[in-house]
Amino acid sequence: MEDEILRLKSEAHVALADLGKDDLEPFRVKYLGRKGLFTSMMRQLGQASAEDRPRLGKLANDIKQELAQAFAAKQDALGGGQQGVSAVPSLDLTLTGRSEPCGRPHPVTQVMEEVCGIFEGLGFTVAEGPDVETDFYNFEALNIPPHHPARDMHDTFYVSDSLLLRTHTSPMQIRTMTEQEPPLRMIAPGKVYRCDSDITHTPMFHQVEGFLVDRKVSFADLKGVLSVFIAKMFDADTAIRFRPSFFPFTEPSAEVDIGCVICAGKGCRVCKQTGWLEILGAGMIDPAVFAKIGYDPDQYSGFAFGLGIERIAMLKYGITDIRLYYENDLRFLSQF
Ligand code: FA5
């Protein structure tokens, strides 16, 4: 078949060399037309072996292109070019160019920035800390001694006996409080890691820790700040639920749920049929934590909270599987 293609090539070139003005159209029809020799040759390529087919297809295509260009040059030389008849598609110089696709921040980054912006607007300042954390900051100083059952709630990736990938952003409470005196009003955004994966859990996810320490801070202040945050982040009438919970470093503690925006509270796969989705844990900082870092619990009180950014982004955008954020599928990402 290769011989046949090459034979057709030289036959066409010989014919082209002798072409007069009146022969242009018959030549185009015979060699380059939709029912021409090159087109039928290409149809026959289906009979070639699967191994040879790509190479022969390319060869035939290249020759056809080359012939089309030579034909267009001949047409020009003979002054016989006609609109709509040319074998080479004409170039429309008035068409607008194709613009380069424009990148943008990942949806999780966008939501992280929005969350931080809301708290900054409420007077919180931003602090950042290490992803690889010591057992002391991640657990011990937060009132979670070795062998405490609360360690089981965090499926920890250990780097060594005393180093680990932080399981939450709460170590930033300790890092900040050991370096600064009250009043404090801080947020600490960052990556955290847990050995956990399903439609609402990923092994790496983002939290924003927030804490406020001063004299006479109460649970009402915590409720006020979180209610303002949720109203700004979602709709002003978003349903909010403070559910009693337990964290070793806060007392009392609560988990905060908002009405599932995916099913409007009716119950779906994402909210596990409850109509609610947990977005954060919170509470009043336990006096035992103040004692560890040397604050006087009789003078100071404070609240803290830690919220999951991916969960908030799921609710905001109606995403039903958290793992979509990390599959790097541009069809998903380019929607944001
Ligand atoms: C904590 O991590 C506490 N440090 C929060 C806290 C801070 C409580 C300060 C009190 C005071 P929890 O394990 O519930 O709590 O996680 C907080 C939020 O992170 C959850 O509400 C959820 O939104 C999100 N989250 C937890 N695990 C995952 C995961 N594997 N993937 C995605 N998001 C998660």
Side-chain angles (χ1 to χ4, degrees), residues 154 168 170 173 194 196 200-202 205 207 209 247 249-250 255 278-283 304-308 311 322:
H154 301 231
H168 53 172
S170 298
Q173 290 182 39
R194 291 184 198 174
D196 207 355
T200 53
H201 295 84
T202 45
F205 60 102
Q207 285 189 339
E209 190 80 5
F247 297 101
F249 38 94
T250 47
E255 274 175 327
E278 170 203 324
I279 56 165
L280 62 90
F305 56 87
L307 50 89
R311 295 278 175 84
I322 197 171

Side-chain angles (χ1 to χ4, degrees), residues 109-142:
T109 308
Q110 291 182 30
V111 172
M112 178 73 106
E113 282 169 2
E114 191 176 345
V115 168
C116 290
I118 294 173
F119 285 112
E120 283 174 282
L122 292 172
F124 286 74
T125 49
V126 179
E128 286 188 353
D131 289 17
V132 178
E133 192 47 285
T134 63
D135 186 278
F136 174 78
Y137 284 116
N138 197 81
F139 288 131
E140 213 152 318
L142 287 163

Side-chain angles (χ1 to χ4, degrees), residues 231-283:
K232 280 184 184 281
M233 192 72 209
F234 301 97
D235 284 337
D237 52 4
T238 306
I240 310 177
R241 177 169 87 167
F242 282 73
R243 208 166 13 86
S245 185
F246 170 77
F247 297 101
F249 38 94
T250 47
E251 182 57 38
S253 305
E255 274 175 327
V256 177
D257 303 334
I258 67 168
C260 181
V261 291
I262 289 162
C263 61
K266 291 193 190 79
C268 66
R269 193 165 88 102
V270 175
C271 62
K272 300 196 173 102
Q273 311 305 329
T274 63
W276 296 94
L277 208 69
E278 170 203 324
I279 56 165
L280 62 90

Side-chain angles (χ1 to χ4, degrees), residues 4-317:
E4 180 56 16
I5 297 171
L6 294 172
R7 194 199 57 72
L8 192 58
K9 172 185 174 182
S10 44
E11 178 193 307
H13 277 285
V14 170
L16 188 66
D18 293 338
L19 229 50
K21 197 168 176 179
D22 292 341
D23 307 322
L24 283 171
E25 184 57 8
F27 176 92
R28 190 192 67 76
V29 173
K30 180 174 177 187
Y31 291 101
L32 299 167
R34 276 198 298 136
K35 293 184 184 158
L37 291 175
F38 269 96
T39 310
S40 55
M41 164 77 66
M42 283 170 132
R43 286 207 186 101
Q44 285 170 33
L45 286 177
Q47 293 161 15
S49 69
E51 196 182 305
D52 287 342
R53 211 174 299 141
R55 186 177 54 79
L56 293 176
K58 181 170 183 328
L59 178 69
N61 241 327
D62 289 350
I63 293 174
K64 190 177 175 194
Q65 292 280 328
E66 181 193 309
L67 191 64
Q69 279 170 12
F71 175 73
K74 186 80 177 186
Q75 250 181 340
D76 284 349
L78 294 173
Q82 278 179 52
Q83 262 199 334
V85 176
S86 169
V88 180
S90 56
L91 184 63
D92 183 352
L93 296 174
T94 63
L95 282 176
T96 47
R98 287 197 192 102
S99 55
E100 283 299 306
C102 181
R104 68 205 92 172
H106 191 280
V108 169
T109 308
Q110 291 182 30
V111 172
M112 178 73 106
E113 282 169 2
E114 191 176 345
V115 168
C116 290
I118 294 173
F119 285 112
E120 283 174 282
L122 292 172
F124 286 74
T125 49
V126 179
E128 286 188 353
D131 289 17
V132 178
E133 192 47 285
T134 63
D135 186 278
F136 174 78
Y137 284 116
N138 197 81
F139 288 131
E140 213 152 318
L142 287 163
N143 214 17
I144 318 178
H147 311 299
H148 190 289
R151 287 198 183 207
D152 290 346
M153 287 156 55
H154 301 231
D155 301 298
T156 312
F157 291 111
Y158 279 93
V159 176
S160 69
D161 283 350
S162 57
L163 281 181
L164 45 87
L165 297 183
R166 66 178 175 186
T167 57
H168 53 172
T169 41
S170 298
M172 285 305 291
Q173 290 182 39
I174 307 299
R175 285 187 175 271
T176 311
M177 287 195 277
T178 46
E179 281 164 15
Q180 296 178 39
E181 288 294 312
L184 296 175
R185 199 187 297 190
M186 313 282 293
I187 51 168
K191 292 187 170 67
V192 301
Y193 307 83
R194 291 184 198 174
C195 189
D196 207 355
S197 180
D198 60 32
I199 63 164
T200 53
H201 295 84
T202 45
M204 185 283 298
F205 60 102
H206 295 76
Q207 285 189 339
V208 171
E209 190 80 5
F211 49 98
L212 187 149
V213 183
D214 205 341
R215 294 172 201 273
K216 298 199 171 96
V217 178
S218 72
F219 203 94
D221 297 314
L222 169 64
K223 276 187 94 168
V225 166
L226 292 180
S227 302
V228 169
F229 163 70
I230 289 168
K232 280 184 184 281
M233 192 72 209
F234 301 97
D235 284 337
D237 52 4
T238 306
I240 310 177
R241 177 169 87 167
F242 282 73
R243 208 166 13 86
S245 185
F246 170 77
F247 297 101
F249 38 94
T250 47
E251 182 57 38
S253 305
E255 274 175 327
V256 177
D257 303 334
I258 67 168
C260 181
V261 291
I262 289 162
C263 61
K266 291 193 190 79
C268 66
R269 193 165 88 102
V270 175
C271 62
K272 300 196 173 102
Q273 311 305 329
T274 63
W276 296 94
L277 208 69
E278 170 203 324
I279 56 165
L280 62 90
M284 300 304 294
I285 298 176
D286 196 309
V289 174
F290 282 154
K292 271 194 203 294
I293 47 104
Y295 284 3
D296 180 354
D298 293 329
Q299 277 197 54
Y300 294 113
S301 56
F303 64 72
F305 56 87
L307 50 89
I309 294 295
E310 281 79 354
R311 295 278 175 84
I312 290 179
M314 282 175 87
L315 290 171
K316 203 169 164 64
Y317 297 127

